[in-house]
Amino acid sequence: MEDDEFDKSDNDSGEEEAMEENEEEEEDEEMEEGEVDQNFRLELMKVLQQQNALATEEDASSDEDLDDEAMMNLDKSLSALFSEQKKKVQAKKDEKTKLQKERVLVRDFKIKVLDLVEVFVARQAGSPLILGLVEPLLNIIDRGMSSGSDQQEQDFLRRAADIFRNHLCRSKVYCRTAGDRQGELHDLLDKLMSKAQKLSDSSVCLYYFSASLYVVKVLRGALPAETKEELTADGAAAAVND
C-alpha cells in the first residue's frame, strides 16, 4: 500500500467523519435519555397512583382535593423519586466521563509506545531485536485496516504503518548478527507468505509482502559464520589459483 492510500482522507473527509461520530454520539444519548425518561415516567405514574393523585375515569368529575397529610406524603414520594432519578443521571454521566478518560489514557499510552518503537527502529536497525517487531506491527495494521475505527485510531494506524514501511522495511541497515537464527527466520518467512495468501484485502497483503522481502534481506545479510568462512576460503583459493 502506497502513502497516498492512507492520505486519501483529506481534511474535509476528516471533518465529515468527526461530524458523523458526533451525530452518532448524540443519537445514542437521545436513545438513552428516552429510555430513562420512559422508566422515570412509569415510576412517576406508580407514585401518583399509590397516593391516589391520579383521577380515574370513574372519579374524573370529582372535585375532591387531597388532604394535607396526603399532600405531604405525595411530596415526600415525589422528592425521593426525583432525587433518585437525579442520582441515576449523574451516575451515567460519571461513567461516561470515566470511560472517555480511560480511552484517552490508552490512546496516549499507545502513542508513547509507538514513539519508543520509532526511536528504536531508527537507532538500532541492525539489532536482532528488530525482528521481534515485524509481526506485532503487522497485527496492528491488519486489525486497524479490517475494522471500522474512528479518526484517532486511523491516525494511530497511519503512524504504525509509516514506522513499519519507511523505518523498518526500507531501512538501509539490516541485522547481520542473526546467523544462528536461520531456522527462525525461515519459519517467519513461511508464516508471512502463508498469511498473505489468505488475506482478502490487497492493501494488507502488500505489507506482508514487504515484511517478507525484509526477512529475505536479513537472511541474505546474516549468513551463518561457517558459511562466511567457506566463502572466504573459496575466494582466497580462487585468488591463489588465478
Side-chain angles (χ1 to χ4, degrees):
M1 182 176 182
E2 300 297 333
D3 294 349
D4 55 356
E5 292 190 41
F6 267 134
D7 296 335
K8 63 183 179 181
S9 298
D10 53 13
N11 292 334
D12 293 337
S13 63
E15 293 177 358
E16 291 177 359
E17 292 178 1
M19 291 176 62
E20 291 177 357
E21 183 179 349
N22 291 335
E23 290 176 357
E24 291 178 356
E25 291 180 354
E26 290 177 357
E27 290 178 357
D28 292 339
E29 290 178 356
E30 289 176 358
M31 292 179 63
E32 291 179 359
E33 290 176 357
E35 183 179 355
V36 171
D37 290 342
Q38 182 64 23
N39 293 333
F40 176 69
R41 193 175 295 113
L42 293 175
E43 292 295 327
L44 180 60
M45 293 289 290
K46 290 180 181 179
V47 170
L48 294 176
Q49 288 173 353
Q50 290 173 356
Q51 299 298 331
N52 296 324
L54 285 178
T56 63
E57 294 181 358
E58 297 179 354
D59 60 1
S61 59
S62 176
D63 295 332
E64 294 182 2
D65 296 329
L66 296 175
D67 55 28
D68 293 341
E69 183 179 356
M71 285 296 296
M72 290 182 63
N73 291 334
L74 178 62
D75 288 341
K76 291 180 180 180
S77 299
L78 290 176
S79 177
L81 178 62
F82 278 96
S83 177
E84 184 66 21
Q85 175 66 11
K86 184 177 180 181
K87 290 179 181 179
K88 290 180 179 179
V89 172
Q90 187 61 44
K92 285 183 174 292
K93 290 182 179 180
D94 293 342
E95 181 66 19
K96 184 177 180 180
T97 301
K98 179 182 177 181
L99 292 175
Q100 288 176 342
K101 290 181 178 179
E102 289 178 353
R103 284 197 292 267
V104 171
L105 290 174
V106 171
R107 184 190 67 220
D108 292 344
F109 176 76
K110 290 165 65 176
I111 291 175
K112 290 180 179 179
V113 171
L114 273 188
D115 290 339
L116 294 176
V117 170
E118 183 176 9
V119 172
F120 181 74
V121 172
R123 297 184 181 181
Q124 300 292 333
S127 171
L129 298 176
I130 292 293
L131 301 175
L133 297 176
V134 174
E135 289 188 279
L137 287 173
L138 282 174
N139 290 335
I140 292 175
I141 296 170
D142 192 358
R143 288 198 303 267
M145 295 181 68
S146 61
S147 62
S149 52
D150 56 24
Q151 186 63 38
Q152 293 175 341
E153 287 297 323
Q154 286 296 314
D155 292 340
F156 178 80
L157 172 61
R158 291 189 184 92
R159 179 80 180 283
D162 177 70
I163 293 174
F164 178 81
R165 180 179 55 237
N166 296 323
H167 296 274
L168 193 151
C169 292
R170 295 180 181 177
S171 175
K172 296 181 180 180
V173 180
Y174 300 97
C175 174
R176 300 182 184 277
T177 60
D180 58 341
R181 303 175 65 178
Q182 296 288 307
E184 180 182 341
L185 290 172
H186 280 291
D187 291 342
L188 176 59
L189 182 59
D190 290 340
K191 187 187 297 184
L192 294 174
M193 294 300 295
S194 298
K195 177 70 174 180
Q197 293 174 0
K198 297 177 182 178
L199 291 172
S200 58
D201 191 337
S202 59
S203 300
V204 180
C205 284
L206 288 176
Y207 283 95
Y208 276 85
F209 282 124
S210 296
S212 300
L213 290 175
Y214 172 77
V215 174
V216 169
K217 291 177 181 178
V218 174
L219 282 167
R220 291 180 60 186
L223 296 174
E226 57 271 17
T227 304
K228 293 181 180 180
E229 292 176 359
E230 291 175 2
L231 291 175
T232 302
D234 292 341
V240 171
N241 292 332
D242 291 341

